[in-house]
Tab-separated table of all heavy atoms in Angstrom:
chain	number	residue	atom	x	y	z
A	261	SER	N	11.188	12.281	28.739
A	261	SER	CA	11.708	10.958	28.357
A	261	SER	C	13.169	11.062	27.972
A	261	SER	O	14.000	10.233	28.367
A	261	SER	CB	10.968	10.397	27.146
A	261	SER	OG	9.646	10.163	27.455
A	262	LEU	N	13.484	12.081	27.180
A	262	LEU	CA	14.878	12.258	26.744
A	262	LEU	C	15.781	12.566	27.933
A	262	LEU	O	16.897	12.052	28.029
A	262	LEU	CB	14.967	13.391	25.715
A	262	LEU	CG	14.405	13.079	24.328
A	262	LEU	CD1	14.289	14.348	23.499
A	262	LEU	CD2	15.296	12.074	23.609
A	263	VAL	N	15.285	13.412	28.838
A	263	VAL	CA	16.092	13.758	30.012
A	263	VAL	C	16.382	12.491	30.826
A	263	VAL	O	17.526	12.239	31.225
A	263	VAL	CB	15.367	14.794	30.906
A	263	VAL	CG1	16.112	15.004	32.212
A	263	VAL	CG2	15.213	16.120	30.172
A	264	LEU	N	15.356	11.673	31.041
A	264	LEU	CA	15.552	10.476	31.862
A	264	LEU	C	16.456	9.468	31.151
A	264	LEU	O	17.239	8.762	31.779
A	264	LEU	CB	14.206	9.852	32.237
A	264	LEU	CG	13.346	10.727	33.167
A	264	LEU	CD1	11.991	10.083	33.445
A	264	LEU	CD2	14.064	11.016	34.488
A	265	GLU	N	16.351	9.433	29.833
A	265	GLU	CA	17.223	8.548	29.057
A	265	GLU	C	18.688	8.971	29.229
A	265	GLU	O	19.566	8.157	29.502
A	265	GLU	CB	16.802	8.641	27.583
A	265	GLU	CG	17.189	7.495	26.712
A	265	GLU	CD	16.814	6.139	27.283
A	265	GLU	OE1	15.665	5.970	27.714
A	265	GLU	OE2	17.705	5.258	27.296
A	266	ARG	N	18.940	10.273	29.090
A	266	ARG	CA	20.305	10.785	29.278
A	266	ARG	C	20.747	10.591	30.719
A	266	ARG	O	21.903	10.308	30.993
A	266	ARG	CB	20.381	12.283	28.978
A	266	ARG	CG	20.186	12.683	27.573
A	266	ARG	CD	21.430	12.423	26.725
A	266	ARG	NE	21.150	12.810	25.359
A	266	ARG	CZ	20.413	12.104	24.516
A	266	ARG	NH1	19.936	10.930	24.876
A	266	ARG	NH2	20.156	12.539	23.299
A	267	ALA	N	19.792	10.768	31.642
A	267	ALA	CA	20.121	10.661	33.060
A	267	ALA	C	20.700	9.282	33.372
A	267	ALA	O	21.620	9.145	34.167
A	267	ALA	CB	18.869	10.917	33.900
A	268	LYS	N	20.171	8.272	32.681
A	268	LYS	CA	20.651	6.913	32.936
A	268	LYS	C	22.101	6.735	32.511
A	268	LYS	O	22.780	5.824	32.957
A	268	LYS	CB	19.762	5.895	32.208
A	268	LYS	CG	18.370	5.819	32.813
A	268	LYS	CD	17.656	4.552	32.428
A	268	LYS	CE	17.169	4.564	31.012
A	268	LYS	NZ	16.376	3.367	30.680
A	269	ALA	N	22.548	7.613	31.637
A	269	ALA	CA	23.946	7.522	31.200
A	269	ALA	C	24.877	8.191	32.200
A	269	ALA	O	26.052	7.834	32.297
A	269	ALA	CB	24.107	8.159	29.826
A	270	ILE	N	24.368	9.164	32.959
A	270	ILE	CA	25.264	9.856	33.892
A	270	ILE	C	25.095	9.389	35.343
A	270	ILE	O	25.830	9.806	36.208
A	270	ILE	CB	25.112	11.403	33.837
A	270	ILE	CG1	23.730	11.848	34.343
A	270	ILE	CG2	25.398	11.960	32.449
A	270	ILE	CD1	23.726	13.273	34.857
A	271	ALA	N	24.130	8.522	35.585
A	271	ALA	CA	23.929	8.054	36.960
A	271	ALA	C	23.603	6.562	36.986
A	271	ALA	O	22.931	6.054	36.089
A	271	ALA	CB	22.787	8.832	37.616
A	272	ASP	N	24.070	5.882	38.036
A	272	ASP	CA	23.711	4.464	38.209
A	272	ASP	C	22.233	4.362	38.572
A	272	ASP	O	21.542	3.446	38.154
A	272	ASP	CB	24.509	3.837	39.360
A	272	ASP	CG	26.002	3.827	39.087
A	272	ASP	OD1	26.375	3.718	37.909
A	272	ASP	OD2	26.783	3.954	40.054
A	273	VAL	N	21.813	5.301	39.399
A	273	VAL	CA	20.418	5.295	39.840
A	273	VAL	C	19.846	6.701	39.688
A	273	VAL	O	20.437	7.678	40.151
A	273	VAL	CB	20.284	4.856	41.315
A	273	VAL	CG1	18.811	4.630	41.651
A	273	VAL	CG2	21.080	3.606	41.606
A	274	VAL	N	18.697	6.775	39.034
A	274	VAL	CA	17.987	8.046	38.882
A	274	VAL	C	16.750	7.949	39.775
A	274	VAL	O	15.919	7.061	39.592
A	274	VAL	CB	17.557	8.260	37.414
A	274	VAL	CG1	16.883	9.616	37.246
A	274	VAL	CG2	18.759	8.128	36.481
A	275	VAL	N	16.678	8.819	40.778
A	275	VAL	CA	15.540	8.774	41.706
A	275	VAL	C	14.611	9.925	41.347
A	275	VAL	O	15.023	11.087	41.355
A	275	VAL	CB	16.022	8.921	43.167
A	275	VAL	CG1	14.826	8.828	44.122
A	275	VAL	CG2	17.074	7.867	43.509
A	276	VAL	N	13.353	9.603	41.010
A	276	VAL	CA	12.427	10.645	40.562
A	276	VAL	C	11.324	10.834	41.603
A	276	VAL	O	10.592	9.894	41.934
A	276	VAL	CB	11.780	10.285	39.206
A	276	VAL	CG1	11.009	11.486	38.663
A	276	VAL	CG2	12.839	9.844	38.204
A	277	ASP	N	11.224	12.071	42.098
A	277	ASP	CA	10.135	12.443	42.998
A	277	ASP	C	8.982	12.905	42.114
A	277	ASP	O	9.126	13.865	41.350
A	277	ASP	CB	10.631	13.590	43.903
A	277	ASP	CG	9.561	14.082	44.863
A	277	ASP	OD1	8.582	13.355	45.101
A	277	ASP	OD2	9.723	15.208	45.389
A	278	THR	N	7.851	12.223	42.180
A	278	THR	CA	6.759	12.551	41.254
A	278	THR	C	5.622	13.289	41.960
A	278	THR	O	5.590	13.379	43.174
A	278	THR	CB	6.162	11.271	40.630
A	278	THR	OG1	5.423	10.579	41.631
A	278	THR	CG2	7.238	10.376	40.067
A	279	GLY	N	4.681	13.775	41.153
A	279	GLY	CA	3.456	14.352	41.707
A	279	GLY	C	2.510	13.225	42.094
A	279	GLY	O	2.837	12.048	41.964
A	280	PHE	N	1.327	13.573	42.553
A	280	PHE	CA	0.380	12.548	43.001
A	280	PHE	C	-0.629	12.189	41.917
A	280	PHE	O	-1.092	11.067	41.831
A	280	PHE	CB	-0.379	13.050	44.245
A	280	PHE	CG	-1.209	14.280	43.960
A	280	PHE	CD1	-2.530	14.149	43.579
A	280	PHE	CD2	-0.660	15.559	44.047
A	280	PHE	CE1	-3.296	15.278	43.297
A	280	PHE	CE2	-1.417	16.685	43.767
A	280	PHE	CZ	-2.737	16.546	43.387
A	281	CYS	N	-0.966	13.150	41.040
A	281	CYS	CA	-2.135	13.005	40.179
A	281	CYS	C	-1.822	12.186	38.930
A	281	CYS	O	-0.828	12.430	38.249
A	281	CYS	CB	-2.659	14.383	39.785
A	281	CYS	SG	-4.276	14.284	39.018
A	282	LEU	N	-2.683	11.211	38.642
A	282	LEU	CA	-2.446	10.300	37.524
A	282	LEU	C	-3.462	10.475	36.401
A	282	LEU	O	-3.461	9.726	35.443
A	282	LEU	CB	-2.523	8.840	38.015
A	282	LEU	CG	-1.538	8.467	39.117
A	282	LEU	CD1	-1.874	7.081	39.660
A	282	LEU	CD2	-0.109	8.511	38.598
A	283	GLU	N	-4.351	11.461	36.574
A	283	GLU	CA	-5.385	11.658	35.568
A	283	GLU	C	-4.759	11.925	34.191
A	283	GLU	O	-3.836	12.728	34.081
A	283	GLU	CB	-6.184	12.893	35.955
A	283	GLU	CG	-7.658	12.734	35.827
A	283	GLU	CD	-8.345	13.870	36.557
A	283	GLU	OE1	-8.299	14.985	36.028
A	283	GLU	OE2	-8.879	13.625	37.656
A	284	ALA	N	-5.294	11.279	33.169
A	284	ALA	CA	-4.763	11.499	31.819
A	284	ALA	C	-5.437	12.729	31.246
A	284	ALA	O	-6.420	12.634	30.512
A	284	ALA	CB	-5.018	10.285	30.945
A	285	ASP	N	-4.949	13.900	31.597
A	285	ASP	CA	-5.629	15.133	31.195
A	285	ASP	C	-5.664	15.312	29.686
A	285	ASP	O	-6.472	16.043	29.160
A	285	ASP	CB	-5.049	16.384	31.879
A	285	ASP	CG	-3.547	16.340	32.080
A	285	ASP	OD1	-2.907	15.387	31.580
A	285	ASP	OD2	-3.022	17.240	32.733
A	286	GLU	N	-4.801	14.574	28.988
A	286	GLU	CA	-4.800	14.625	27.521
A	286	GLU	C	-6.178	14.274	26.966
A	286	GLU	O	-6.673	14.884	26.030
A	286	GLU	CB	-3.791	13.619	27.002
A	286	GLU	CG	-3.713	13.482	25.526
A	286	GLU	CD	-2.711	12.397	25.160
A	286	GLU	OE1	-2.629	11.394	25.860
A	286	GLU	OE2	-2.005	12.595	24.193
A	287	GLU	N	-6.807	13.271	27.612
A	287	GLU	CA	-8.091	12.819	27.101
A	287	GLU	C	-9.182	13.872	27.282
A	287	GLU	O	-10.219	13.823	26.661
A	287	GLU	CB	-8.505	11.534	27.818
A	287	GLU	CG	-7.688	10.353	27.344
A	287	GLU	CD	-7.813	9.163	28.254
A	287	GLU	OE1	-8.794	9.106	29.008
A	287	GLU	OE2	-6.924	8.304	28.199
A	288	LEU	N	-8.942	14.820	28.190
A	288	LEU	CA	-9.938	15.847	28.434
A	288	LEU	C	-9.814	16.982	27.422
A	288	LEU	O	-10.616	17.886	27.369
A	288	LEU	CB	-9.780	16.433	29.845
A	288	LEU	CG	-9.739	15.401	30.971
A	288	LEU	CD1	-9.505	16.096	32.301
A	288	LEU	CD2	-11.044	14.620	31.007
A	289	SER	N	-8.736	16.935	26.646
A	289	SER	CA	-8.467	18.053	25.754
A	289	SER	C	-8.565	17.621	24.304
A	289	SER	O	-8.107	16.549	23.939
A	289	SER	CB	-7.047	18.570	26.041
A	289	SER	OG	-6.636	19.402	24.995
Side-chain angles (χ1 to χ4, degrees):
S261 295
L262 287 168
V263 172
L264 294 177
E265 202 50 48
R266 292 283 179 284
K268 291 199 285 185
I270 66 156
D272 297 328
V273 190
V274 183
V275 182
V276 189
D277 179 19
T278 72
F280 62 92
C281 192
L282 301 171
E283 224 166 73
D285 36 7
E286 177 183 37
E287 286 165 20
L288 308 177
S289 165

